[in-house]
Structure formats: structure tokens, C-alpha cells
Amino acid sequence: MGYQVYDVSMSIHEGMPVYKNKPEKKPLIQVVQDFETSPARESRIQLDVHTGTHVDSPLHMLPDGGTMETLNIEKLTGTCRVLDLTEVKNGITRSDLEGKGIEKGDFVLLKTRNSDSESFDFEFVFLAEDGASYLASLGVRGVGIDALGVERSQPGHPTHKILFKAGVLILEGLRLKEVPEGEYFMVAAPIKLKDTEAAPARVLLFKGLSVTG
């Protein structure tokens, strides 16, 4: 194989970290049929649509926003850029992003100290309002972050709203610890749900993959 694959998705299990450690957000996985009673095993899962690595749709924060099926799946595939922001302690601001060479149409993945921990940190690094405004002004197609939320402690959720109103996709819950800064080919595939404001996703990054068409 002439390329490297990074699986930057969170594993879904009952003990996984969830937003603010809320018990009601924990997935529930039940074996409903096993080999004691049947020739086949089957399980059932109860899952919040914002569980683990997931894509948000505008309806998450905008009452008139679109649901998951309104998103363009083509924007969730293609080249992306991992930005090393592990030195940032709090909110990622415009000054943290300037000089990174971000261009129109980029899908930027924000690698922070969040990826170093497998538990929920109430002081997680997030994208600050002015950082979101800067990325929206550049015309990026999407923003991903290694936290279960792209923002925290901002009244009115301006980061989400700025990005959504600019048509920027939001990808949360990435695991980027092992991924060096640089350019990759990304496949971010949310579960094909209808009428929801988010969906869990499997996200793969490919390094050295040659795609021709």
C-alpha cells in the first residue's frame, strides 16, 4: 500500500467521553439476541446524534437551518489541512490562524491539546468567535476540531452561527494526536440520517493517496 491511513474517529462505547459528562448522552449498547437462544448475535444501540466524532448541520443552532440531508457530501471529501495549534491554551483566535496559509475552499482540521486526553475536559480548547469570523471570511468549506464542541462559554453560540451562516461545515470530536500537520485526503462519512441536526461520522485521513479522475 503506497499511502498511510489515519482513522481520526472516536470509538463508540458505553464508557466513552460525552459532552459535559452528561449521563443521558452516553450510548447504550444492548445485546438483544445471543447464541444461547439463537444461531446469530444481534445488538441494539441507543445513540445521541452528537455522539463522538460527528457532523453538525445548521439546524443545530439555526431554527430555519437545514437538516443533515441538505449537506453536500462532496464538501466532506477531498483535500484537508491539519493545523497544529497544540500551543493554544484557550480559544483559537484570528492571530493563531493567520500565517497558516489557509485558502478559500480549504477544509481545516484544528489539532489542539484536546487530542492528548481521552476524557472530557470542561476547559477544552475551542474556536473563538473572531477565529470563526476569520475562517468564514477566507471562504473555507469546513472546520473540524478535536473537541466534542467547536465552541464553549460563548453566549449565543456565535462560532457555530458564524460558520453555519457562511455555509461552512462543522466536524467535531476528531482524534488528531498521531496526525502531523499537513495536507491529507479526507473522507468524512456521517450516518445517512434524515431530519436530524447532526450525525455520527467515520473520518479517515489519507497521506500519499493519489486520486485521479
Side-chain angles (χ1 to χ4, degrees):
M1 185 171 63
Y3 56 88
Q4 185 171 4
V5 183
Y6 294 93
D7 185 345
V8 294
S9 320
M10 294 177 68
S11 296
I12 295 177
H13 57 94
E14 292 186 342
M16 71 183 296
V18 294
Y19 194 73
K20 293 187 176 180
N21 293 329
K22 294 181 177 180
E24 64 271 21
K25 289 187 173 292
K26 294 277 189 181
L28 177 62
I29 304 172
Q30 297 174 297
V31 177
V32 295
Q33 179 177 294
D34 61 23
F35 296 112
E36 293 182 1
T37 59
S38 171
R41 174 181 163 122
E42 294 184 4
S43 301
R44 180 176 294 124
I45 186 167
Q46 180 177 309
L47 195 68
D48 189 292
V49 294
H50 298 267
T51 298
T53 308
H54 64 279
V55 178
D56 285 342
S57 80
L59 184 61
H60 180 41
M61 290 291 171
L62 304 177
D64 58 349
T67 55
M68 283 302 297
E69 64 267 31
T70 68
L71 302 186
N72 183 353
I73 193 67
E74 291 182 3
K75 293 176 70 173
L76 287 164
T77 59
T79 56
C80 72
R81 300 184 60 190
V82 174
L83 306 180
D84 190 332
L85 296 160
T86 51
E87 298 303 314
V88 177
K89 304 299 183 185
N90 191 37
I92 298 168
T93 64
R94 176 180 182 135
S95 62
D96 295 315
L97 297 167
E98 289 176 334
K100 290 288 189 180
I102 304 168
E103 299 179 352
K104 182 178 180 179
D106 280 348
F107 202 118
V108 294
L109 306 184
L110 309 177
K111 176 182 177 178
T112 77
R113 62 174 175 80
N114 297 329
S115 283
D116 293 334
S117 175
E118 294 303 318
S119 59
F120 182 79
D121 181 0
F122 281 84
E123 300 299 319
F124 65 85
V125 177
F126 64 100
L127 179 60
E129 180 178 356
D130 74 323
S133 294
Y134 176 64
L135 292 177
S137 71
L138 291 177
V140 300
R141 76 179 197 277
V143 176
I145 193 167
D146 54 359
L148 289 172
V150 74
E151 68 182 315
R152 66 168 170 84
S153 304
Q154 295 189 132
H157 306 287
T159 290
H160 277 91
K161 292 177 180 178
I162 288 166
L163 297 177
F164 283 142
K165 289 177 180 178
V168 179
L169 295 180
I170 298 176
L171 178 56
E172 299 173 330
L174 297 170
R175 298 284 80 197
L176 298 170
K177 183 177 181 179
E178 306 301 326
V179 185
E181 183 173 73
E183 186 173 292
Y184 298 84
F185 188 91
M186 179 179 73
V187 176
I191 297 173
K192 200 171 183 178
L193 295 176
K194 292 186 66 176
D195 303 325
T196 64
E197 77 294 338
R202 188 72 177 261
V203 183
L204 304 176
L205 303 184
F206 299 84
K207 189 68 172 180
L209 178 64
S210 178
V211 179
T212 58

